[in-house]
Amino acid sequence: MLKISAAVFLIAGFFLAGKWASSVQEKRVDILNEIMLMLNITESRLRHSHLPVADLLRILCENAGLSGLGFIKSCLERVCFGEPFPDAWRKSIECETEFCSLLSEISVSLADFGADIGATDLESQLSGCAYYKELVARELELQREKSMKYKKLFPPLGLMLGISAAIIIV
């Protein structure tokens, strides 16, 4: 009886590990979608409203579609306390360890994005937005493909590994 219970828990554990691995990949896609939304909002606000950086950050913080990007709120707080925007942006991104571990390459590029906003002329800022949107769009497409593949692969693989381990134990 004890071996059967152990086998069931082992199978369930491996299956849940597979589900977790596929959910991590889906989270990458969700965050990249939010980054694309942030870049689109930033570009349109710069193009049409010519907002200062602090006002732009407030608008981004108020947008419910960007709730997964906690570094925006952190950056706004730092800017409100007098820290220069590029430094506040970079530090806010670097402090988001989960974000940096999920999307290490994009987090570095996104940190560089903050150096362009509010520091150059409008055309340079808009071309920077277009560049980073293209960069994120490529990564988003890659991660979507991986997500579709891993969503179908990891849970059954975890189940099969769990069954294999259970057979070895029993």
Side-chain angles (χ1 to χ4, degrees), residues 28 31 33 65 76 96 109 127 153 159 163:
R28 282 188 181 108
I31 291 173
N33 279 323
L76 178 61
E96 291 286 327
S109 297
S127 66
L153 175 69
L159 183 64
I163 291 171

Side-chain angles (χ1 to χ4, degrees), residues 16-109:
L16 291 174
K19 291 289 275 183
W20 173 80
S22 68
S23 74
V24 167
Q25 187 61 38
E26 287 179 26
K27 187 169 185 170
R28 282 188 181 108
V29 171
D30 292 343
I31 291 173
L32 285 168
N33 279 323
E34 289 185 21
I35 291 171
M36 281 299 288
L37 177 62
M38 179 199 68
L39 291 171
N40 285 327
I41 292 170
T42 301
E43 183 179 36
S44 71
R45 290 298 177 155
L46 287 173
R47 183 180 311 273
H48 301 293
S49 303
H50 309 287
L51 292 175
V53 174
D55 293 340
L56 179 63
L57 285 172
R58 282 188 190 88
I59 289 171
L60 293 174
C61 282
E62 293 169 359
N63 191 315
L66 302 177
S67 61
L69 302 178
F71 62 86
I72 296 172
K73 190 172 199 169
S74 172
C75 181
L76 178 61
E77 291 171 358
R78 290 172 186 263
V79 167
C80 287
F81 285 118
E83 192 170 339
F85 173 73
D87 296 338
W89 182 262
R90 180 172 298 283
K91 287 177 186 174
S92 297
I93 290 175
E94 289 171 352
C95 287
E96 291 286 327
T97 55
E98 182 183 9
F99 174 77
C100 290
S101 66
L102 280 174
L103 299 166
S104 59
E105 293 176 20
I106 292 298
S107 66
V108 171
S109 297

